[in-house]
Amino acid sequence: MEQISVAAAREPEAIGRQVRVHGWIRTRRDSKGGFSFLEINDGSCLANVQVIADSQLANYEADVKRLAPGCSVTVQGEIKASAGQGQATEIHAQQVLVHGWADPEQYPLQKKRHTFEKLREWAHLRPRTNAFGAIARLRNEISCSIHRFFQDEGFLYVQTPIITTSDCEGAGQMFRVTTLDAAKPPRNQQGEVDFEQDFFRRPSYLTVSGQLEAEVFATALGKVYTFGPTFRAENSNTSRHLAEFWMVEPEMAFFDLIDNMDLAERFLKRLFRDCLEHCLEDMRFFNERIDNTTIHTLQKIVESNFVRLSYTEAVEILLGSGKKFEYPVGWGQDLQSEHERYLTEEKFDGPVILTDYPASIKPFYMRVNDDGQTVRAMDVLVPKVGEIIGGSQREERLDVLEDRMRQQGLDPEAYWWYLDLRRFGTVPHAGFGLGLERVVQFVSGMGNIRDCIPFPRTPGNADF
Ligand code: 4AD
Ligand code: MG
């Protein structure tokens, strides 16, 4: 007896084979002719396999007729051609073994449709729904595609630490890591909490970015990327922010901002193309049920060039748009999501790369332009989601970098190792960060980023 997945059992090539399939019941329907139809799903694909369970089965009355959504089973039987709609095959069961029952009175997914908000309360069960199965497979595809892309481009995968003592983005929105007693922390002579007695002997945090450590490896090994969890303690309850998210960060020695933009554009196109090619069944589901523009949007992006403009040009466009925005537009102000959406959805109808932002609204590590006012930053913006990538050319000049740190209230001493990269054999270099969940959100068309990660962490929610 051959053990196969539901996906394999649905293929016409499987017809005539004796197989065993494991999975969970999605539906049971009893026919008047003395048999039951079972729909079984095992997560290998969106669709279910149909099983015909005949009343001749020894446990037909005792087990089969009691099967309800959520029950786990193993079915043995022969795969035959199906006359039914939407499937090429079906399994004619010779044996149905029940592993676990799911009481229809209690099983939360008994009802066909729940809102995504409701399903968030059942993060432990929602992977059993069509939408979250599809999201899980999409996330897997994008993660693999990320690695394939960078490996094909000759990048080295490096692992950067999760616990850190430096604030990469300089915004101070970090989670503290400590073993001190919160109720009674040790104090120094000034009465302040004495972090010298803490586990790492100084204030330590969960990382907001692996960039600084990636730069260490890029300035030794050329082209590298890091891909892992990152944490932000910003109190933003939006549909695009998580407190814990995954970020992929390539960092390249001898790259300038143009090389960086070219790489980012090639990278995103490759991810979108892989989703369309390898996740077509799930993409069709998203297109039908979540956002009926998503497939068309991705296809169009893959074939077009991203618009590139400077922040200053974008501000002029926004000011001249005649639109009434909630937040005013002005040179020197950060762009709000409504401004980004105007550019990507109304003005250019596609991805836009904005460059050369005011130095005052960007982190210390971005390379200062000759005008002294702007930095070699780039943000890639896409319709609906807004910023999907943030990056820059890095400041490789020691004196300029130290000045920028002081301007932003950072102590260059604390970043001595980062500055050493400029002291010894400094090189022009660049990199960017892409949020995995923002990609999943953009590709699937999901309205809320909390539905694009298995276990979302947001202000007030880390329950399970
Ligand atoms: O623009 P950010 O903050 O850039 C950095 O962290 C740089 N150190 C990256 C680099 O140059 N190596 O974040 C990069 C991306 C954003 O464009 C967004 O896609 C995602 O990370 N991101 C978030 N995703 C979900 N929730 C949040 N709170 C996010 N903050 C950033
Ligand atoms: Mg950013």
Side-chain angles (χ1 to χ4, degrees):
M1 186 72 56
E2 185 192 359
Q3 152 70 46
I4 65 172
S5 67
V6 165
R10 286 181 53 85
E11 293 295 325
E13 298 87 81
I15 291 169
R17 282 162 44 192
Q18 291 286 329
V19 301
R20 180 189 296 136
V21 168
H22 304 302
W24 289 266
I25 300 286
R26 284 295 178 82
T27 62
R28 189 197 87 230
R29 201 157 47 80
D30 300 326
S31 116
K32 293 194 193 72
F35 54 89
S36 299
F37 294 103
L38 309 175
E39 292 279 336
I40 298 184
N41 190 281
D42 68 351
S44 57
C45 60
L46 182 81
N48 308 318
V49 70
Q50 176 167 289
V51 173
I52 313 252
D54 195 274
S55 58
Q56 302 302 310
L57 291 168
N59 62 343
Y60 184 75
E61 289 297 331
D63 290 346
V64 174
K65 296 253 331 222
R66 287 172 54 212
L67 286 173
C71 295
S72 50
V73 293
T74 295
V75 172
Q76 286 189 22
E78 185 182 335
I79 300 191
K80 298 195 174 172
S82 173
Q85 283 267 311
Q87 69 220 8
T89 66
E90 60 196 21
I91 303 178
H92 289 239
Q94 288 136 18
Q95 200 189 86
V96 175
L97 175 74
V98 182
H99 296 283
W101 296 99
D103 181 352
E105 299 293 308
Q106 291 181 38
Y107 185 54
L109 303 183
Q110 184 65 27
K111 192 176 131 228
K112 267 259 164 184
R113 290 252 192 124
H114 293 284
T115 63
F116 290 136
E117 287 77 17
K118 190 75 202 156
L119 286 170
R120 264 173 236 146
E121 294 172 19
W122 301 314
H124 61 305
L125 295 175
R126 68 178 187 169
R128 300 180 183 200
T129 64
N130 283 335
F132 289 95
I135 288 287
R137 284 182 297 271
L138 185 69
R139 232 184 119 92
N140 174 68
E141 176 58 33
I142 294 170
S143 303
C144 293
S145 178
I146 286 170
H147 282 294
R148 283 195 303 264
F149 175 82
F150 286 118
Q151 293 297 322
D152 290 351
E153 295 256 345
F155 281 63
L156 195 85
Y157 174 37
V158 295
Q159 292 79 27
T160 49
I162 287 174
I163 299 175
T164 177
T165 56
S166 46
D167 178 0
C168 170
E169 293 306 293
Q173 295 169 319
M174 305 178 83
F175 290 100
R176 189 184 290 286
V177 175
T178 180
T179 52
L180 294 180
D181 181 354
K184 238 177 3 130
R187 307 221 169 241
N188 60 21
Q189 284 174 343
Q190 289 80 47
E192 299 156 342
V193 174
D194 185 7
F195 286 104
E196 278 183 30
Q197 294 187 47
D198 202 351
F199 191 91
F200 297 108
R201 307 238 179 286
R202 50 189 292 201
S204 313
Y205 309 90
L206 294 179
T207 187
V208 295
S209 161
Q211 176 195 325
L212 304 189
E213 294 89 351
E215 284 187 54
V216 170
F217 278 76
T219 53
L221 299 159
K223 294 192 288 187
V224 304
Y225 67 106
T226 175
F227 184 19
T230 40
F231 307 86
R232 307 253 166 128
E234 50 197 341
N235 203 356
S236 30
N237 257 310
T238 80
S239 59
R240 301 172 309 117
H241 288 87
L242 291 163
E244 176 180 298
F245 63 99
W246 281 63
M247 182 155 53
V248 52
E249 296 179 274
E251 191 68 36
M252 299 75 64
F254 308 104
F255 266 50
D256 64 14
L257 193 72
I258 309 288
D259 302 323
N260 207 22
M261 286 193 277
D262 291 345
L263 182 78
E265 182 168 342
R266 212 159 60 238
F267 176 44
L268 285 177
K269 287 178 176 171
R270 167 73 178 271
L271 297 187
F272 299 159
R273 200 177 298 123
D274 279 354
C275 292
L276 290 170
E277 279 178 17
H278 303 154
C279 284
L280 192 55
E281 186 193 26
D282 292 318
M283 286 307 304
R284 286 193 178 126
F285 170 83
F286 295 130
N287 205 67
E288 201 175 296
R289 304 290 277 275
I290 310 292
D291 174 353
N292 63 13
T293 62
T294 183
I295 290 185
H296 176 72
T297 302
L298 296 181
Q299 283 168 339
K300 207 174 64 180
I301 291 177
V302 165
E303 283 150 21
S304 62
N305 293 325
F306 292 11
V307 171
R308 299 179 183 193
L309 27 131
S310 70
Y311 165 92
T312 303
E313 289 167 313
V315 167
E316 279 160 15
I317 290 173
L318 290 165
L319 287 174
S321 69
K323 288 272 291 190
K324 254 197 104 52
F325 295 109
E326 194 184 329
Y327 293 89
V329 181
W331 201 96
Q333 306 277 83
D334 215 348
L335 296 184
Q336 300 296 323
S337 127
E338 54 175 343
H339 309 136
E340 297 176 346
R341 293 189 64 160
Y342 172 78
L343 294 170
T344 54
E345 292 169 27
E346 295 182 45
K347 178 76 186 171
F348 296 109
D349 189 27
V352 176
I353 311 184
L354 292 190
T355 61
D356 303 292
Y357 282 72
S360 55
I361 57 169
K362 289 291 186 188
F364 66 92
Y365 53 72
M366 296 190 176
R367 193 178 198 282
V368 179
N369 280 317
D370 291 344
D371 62 15
Q373 300 299 307
T374 58
V375 288
R376 280 311 247 169
M378 65 170 213
D379 276 4
V380 182
L381 315 178
V382 292
K384 293 180 186 162
V385 168
E387 180 192 331
I388 199 165
I389 283 181
S392 74
Q393 186 170 333
R394 316 306 188 193
E395 184 53 76
E396 83 283 12
R397 297 162 296 186
L398 179 63
D399 50 335
V400 182
L401 185 55
E402 284 175 330
D403 280 350
R404 281 275 285 157
M405 285 181 159
R406 285 191 208 97
Q407 274 167 24
Q408 300 207 351
L410 298 171
D411 176 14
E413 285 286 303
Y415 292 83
W416 63 273
W417 56 272
Y418 187 70
L419 295 171
D420 264 4
L421 307 178
R422 279 73 181 167
R423 268 184 204 110
F424 310 121
T426 192
V427 289
H429 62 291
F432 61 81
L434 169 77
L436 176 63
E437 291 73 20
R438 296 245 175 118
V439 190
V440 173
Q441 189 176 9
F442 180 64
V443 170
S444 65
M446 283 296 235
N448 197 313
I449 199 166
R450 296 167 200 215
D451 301 324
C452 299
I453 184 165
F455 302 96
R457 270 77 182 95
T458 51
N461 177 42
D463 289 349
F464 68 105

